[in-house]
Amino acid sequence: MSNQANQTNQANQTIQPIYDPAVECATREEIRARQLILMQEQVAWAYERVPFYRQQFDALGLKPQDIRSHADIQRIPFTDKTALRDHYPYGLFAVPLTEIVRLHASTGTTGKPIVVGYTKEDIEQWRYCIMSMMQMAGVVPSDRVQMAFGYGMFTGGFGLHYGAEGLGCMMIPASAGNTERHIMMIEDYGTTVLVATPSYAMHICEVGEQLGFDWAKSQLRVGLFGGEPCPPKLKAAIEGRMHITCTDNYGLTEVMGPGVSGECLSSRDQQHIIEDHFYWEVIDPATQELLPEGSEGELVLTPLQKKGIPVLRYRTHDLTSITCEPCACGRTTARMAKVRSRTDDMLIIRGTNVFPSQVEDVLTGIPGASPHYRLVVDNEAGLDRLTLLLELEPQMFSDAFVEMDDFRHQVGDKLRNTLQLSVKVKLLEPNSIERTMGKSKHVEDLRG
């Protein structure tokens, strides 16, 4: 390759880096063929080493060698969160504990957590997924990555930390909390990439503005967000005020952690699935039937190379749709629509189904409505009632009652037209809703 061609290639990689082109730009036929081989190996591994799966297969008269095609995969029973809880902590592990080099656990607030274990090889595979995901977001080895996730048992902190180091980035392990210290580090250390929940990133932005920090002059350029959905209005606000590119990534503890999929710089409303590590399906959550490409349904995932705790056909309860059309970034891996709703997120208010994402979509189209809100459900009067607590943008807040009342009615009318349900709207001053370092709580159901 000529020096000029090499320089051009390096420039292109800086703009749109691809970590593993041989895998991420393979043909669909090559991707599917590799997935089938890996699935067959994973099924055999789970059957031979995990009594839970062996009993399930034997009850159906199913053997690993019966999985000869993609269609045969549908013969494998689903796994759900109940199975992991019922076998707490080590009942689904496939290797002796002497081969487990790390434990992580879910962040659930009730009952026993979901515990997952990683072998040395699992950690390496996980690091690969994170490096691929980071490159999708435009992160390069010369970046300085500041961690605003907590560490501990949560998969996000350590997962992205070691992925960034593996890519060659400078890692700044600031952890969660002490927002003013985060801002000092961004300024003094020349941080270029921020890892955080989108709600905490917005809080860092707001505190910085209050301190007089000029975000336009910082070296920060990329936000790697996870841990919670990032509504379009919140994403636009962060990008506009912090002068960075915000990217979402997706993952869950049960199948590995972050790194299942990530957003590239060409397809901002979808995320590329790391298909050589995850076999995906989309099913009708009611009938459990497989849905065709492009249909919205519940995402089902099977990690294809995880040895510590193999999980077959895990029902995520996350709603999405998937396309296999090639992306402008050059990748041919399948892209999933960003998850904004879960089957268990749905609120039933007087017989009407309501998803928080529907409310977010309405607020996105209303100038002056901030991305900070809370939905409160109660039935004190004997009838279910939905109340929206909505922060206003600073420029919209007014002492004039008529102006505020007109705005409140405007929001209420738009919600009623979308949800087919009356919603009580309460307008709040800026910064009235508590900011959190972790996942934001958007729904408070007081019906017991």
Side-chain angles (χ1 to χ4, degrees):
M1 180 183 293
S2 69
N3 184 55
Q4 181 178 359
N6 185 56
Q7 290 176 347
T8 301
N9 182 62
Q10 289 177 347
N12 289 337
Q13 287 297 304
T14 299
I15 295 171
Q16 189 70 60
I18 297 178
Y19 181 72
D20 192 350
V23 172
E24 298 175 70
C25 302
T27 67
R28 290 305 306 168
E29 291 75 19
E30 291 170 336
I31 291 172
R32 296 288 280 174
R34 176 167 167 76
Q35 284 185 319
L36 180 59
I37 292 171
L38 292 172
M39 174 68 84
Q40 291 169 329
E41 293 173 352
Q42 192 74 348
V43 168
W45 179 268
Y47 179 83
E48 293 164 2
R49 291 171 170 261
V50 183
F52 169 76
Y53 284 116
R54 184 163 56 251
Q55 292 164 8
Q56 280 198 324
F57 274 52
D58 289 349
L60 295 171
L62 186 65
K63 299 295 181 184
Q65 55 267 31
D66 295 330
I67 308 302
R68 301 186 181 92
S69 67
H70 288 276
D72 291 333
I73 292 169
Q74 297 174 51
R75 301 172 64 185
I76 301 171
F78 293 110
T79 305
D80 60 23
K81 190 170 291 189
T82 302
L84 282 84
R85 284 188 173 139
D86 289 348
H87 293 82
Y88 171 89
Y90 304 133
L92 295 185
F93 282 30
V95 300
L97 293 183
T98 52
E99 296 181 30
I100 297 294
V101 299
R102 193 191 305 169
L103 289 181
H104 279 290
S106 66
T107 55
T109 56
T110 59
K112 295 288 188 180
I114 301 299
V115 175
V116 292
Y118 303 78
T119 65
K120 182 179 179 181
E121 292 74 19
D122 291 337
I123 293 293
E124 290 303 316
Q125 299 292 346
W126 190 10
R127 183 180 288 115
Y128 167 92
C129 292
I130 296 295
M131 291 189 290
S132 297
M133 178 269 289
M134 284 187 160
Q135 293 266 261
M136 291 175 194
V139 179
V140 294
S142 59
D143 273 313
R144 303 171 191 177
V145 181
Q146 184 163 319
M147 176 64 66
F149 280 156
Y151 284 87
M153 300 302 285
F154 171 54
T155 55
F158 282 108
L160 277 97
H161 179 116
Y162 286 110
E165 283 191 344
L167 193 59
C169 301
M170 176 195 292
M171 193 64 219
I172 305 170
S175 192
N178 200 334
T179 304
E180 292 187 14
R181 181 166 163 266
H182 269 289
I183 295 166
M184 180 200 73
M185 288 179 171
I186 290 171
E187 181 175 23
D188 294 350
Y189 300 163
T191 303
T192 59
V193 179
L194 177 66
V195 179
T197 62
S199 55
Y200 189 54
M202 187 73 245
H203 181 54
I204 292 174
C205 175
E206 292 171 334
V207 172
E209 290 171 343
Q210 293 165 9
L211 295 173
F213 183 72
D214 188 349
W215 288 107
K217 294 182 179 179
S218 82
Q219 295 185 54
L220 197 64
R221 63 182 189 83
V222 175
L224 285 177
F225 296 157
E228 64 183 11
C230 184
K233 196 176 187 77
L234 179 58
K235 183 175 185 177
I238 297 172
E239 289 192 328
R241 292 163 66 175
M242 295 185 83
H243 302 275
I244 63 175
T245 299
C246 301
T247 64
D248 297 328
N249 58 82
Y250 172 80
L252 58 162
T253 301
E254 294 86 341
V255 301
M256 183 183 69
V260 173
S261 66
E263 175 185 339
C264 74
L265 301 180
S266 298
S267 183
R268 302 301 309 281
D269 58 347
Q270 296 173 319
Q271 296 168 324
H272 288 273
I273 300 173
I274 313 292
E275 287 194 274
D276 55 328
H277 288 269
F278 299 97
Y279 185 87
W280 58 268
E281 302 167 82
V282 177
I283 64 169
D284 183 314
T287 66
Q288 301 183 12
E289 294 296 319
L290 190 68
L291 295 175
E293 179 184 334
S295 299
E296 183 177 77
E298 180 184 344
L299 179 65
V300 174
L301 291 171
T302 301
L304 294 173
Q305 302 189 55
K306 198 163 188 290
K307 301 306 180 186
I309 176 169
V311 180
L312 304 180
R313 301 191 79 199
Y314 183 76
R315 293 189 62 173
T316 67
H317 295 288
D318 290 325
L319 297 174
T320 188
S321 60
I322 294 179
T323 178
C324 294
E325 290 296 317
C327 181
C329 73
R331 294 176 180 82
T332 53
T333 47
R335 285 171 287 154
M336 57 183 280
K338 293 181 181 179
V339 173
R340 298 186 56 213
S341 301
R342 291 175 50 83
T343 57
D344 49 6
D345 271 350
M346 186 176 71
L347 297 168
I348 302 177
I349 313 294
R350 299 197 296 276
T352 300
N353 297 339
V354 177
F355 285 97
S357 59
Q358 293 174 289
V359 176
E360 291 166 0
D361 289 339
V362 170
L363 298 181
T364 296
I366 302 177
S370 86
H372 304 292
Y373 74 94
R374 183 162 294 171
L375 294 172
V376 180
V377 189
D378 64 54
N379 59 359
E380 291 180 0
L383 189 67
D384 288 348
R385 178 178 62 179
L386 179 61
T387 301
L388 170 67
L389 306 179
L390 174 64
E391 270 190 28
L392 292 177
E393 297 285 2
Q395 70 274 12
M396 280 297 299
F397 192 77
S398 170
D399 291 331
F401 174 79
V402 174
E403 291 181 15
M404 292 294 92
D405 199 47
D406 287 345
F407 187 81
R408 182 175 59 81
H409 281 294
Q410 176 190 347
V411 175
D413 290 343
K414 289 183 179 293
L415 287 172
R416 183 171 60 253
N417 291 337
T418 298
L419 305 178
Q420 301 299 303
L421 180 77
S422 294
V423 179
K424 183 178 180 180
V425 178
K426 290 185 177 181
L427 303 180
L428 306 178
E429 295 181 18
N431 300 311
S432 296
I433 293 177
E434 181 185 4
R435 307 302 195 247
T436 63
M437 292 175 288
K439 298 181 181 181
S440 291
K441 181 179 180 181
H442 287 304
V443 178
E444 187 173 6
D445 195 335
L446 305 177
R447 294 175 295 183

